[in-house]
Amino acid sequence: MAEDSSSPPLVLASASPQRRAILERVGVRFTVRPANIEEIQRGEPAEVVVANALSKARAARLHAGETVLGCDTLVALERRIYGKPADIAQARATLRALSGATHTVFSGLALLRGERERVAFARTEVSIRELDDELVEWYLAKGEWRGRAGGYAIQGAGSAIVREIRGDYENVVGLPLAALIDLFPELL
């Protein structure tokens, strides 16, 4: 069920082009208002992404009448969290850590509507192929590691380093659409 075209659009508290593309692809009306917060980097991954998403949504909200969506995504391997690499050396170390292993991509969602705050999270298992030095350097040269949790982009050249996923593909891209629709069914 589509929202009335006169209703205010969703406010996306993220500058992520991947999140924008997913919302555009399903025809959601939205505006972008990135929130600049200090993200939590330690703790239980599902709790971390939900807390970060909620902080982003709260920071982006300008008035109570808005519907604001905050999102956060991270990669976890054996209880270690891998966020966005700060530089190419950190991206290289992250890819080597993920090589030949299965990690979990967690995304948190926070939806603020009126006085209500609703949260959800999604998880997807991703197996990365064994990466030799040549493949790691090939991928790093693509530059996709910048601004990506876990240092790779599955929707780009990063698909060449992924062996298998179990779960929501859109979650790995950065916005778990199924969880969002469960949280906010009137979005569509």
Side-chain angles (χ1 to χ4, degrees), residues 139-157:
Y139 186 67
L140 291 173
K142 300 289 182 196
E144 287 183 349
W145 60 269
R146 290 180 182 88
R148 314 288 179 158
Y152 72 94
I154 194 170
Q155 72 277 13

Side-chain angles (χ1 to χ4, degrees), residues 48-76:
V48 168
V49 292
V50 167
N52 285 337
L54 193 52
S55 292
K56 290 174 185 182
R58 288 173 177 164
R61 184 180 214 173
L62 297 181
H63 58 82
E66 293 182 312
T67 300
V68 181
L69 176 64
C71 308
D72 189 50
T73 301
L74 62 77
V75 164

Side-chain angles (χ1 to χ4, degrees), residues 13-33:
S14 172
S16 165
Q18 293 76 33
R19 291 181 180 131
R20 289 193 312 257
I22 291 168
L23 291 174
E24 288 169 354
R25 192 168 55 243
V26 295
V28 174
R29 289 180 53 242
F30 66 97
T31 60
V32 175
R33 189 181 307 143

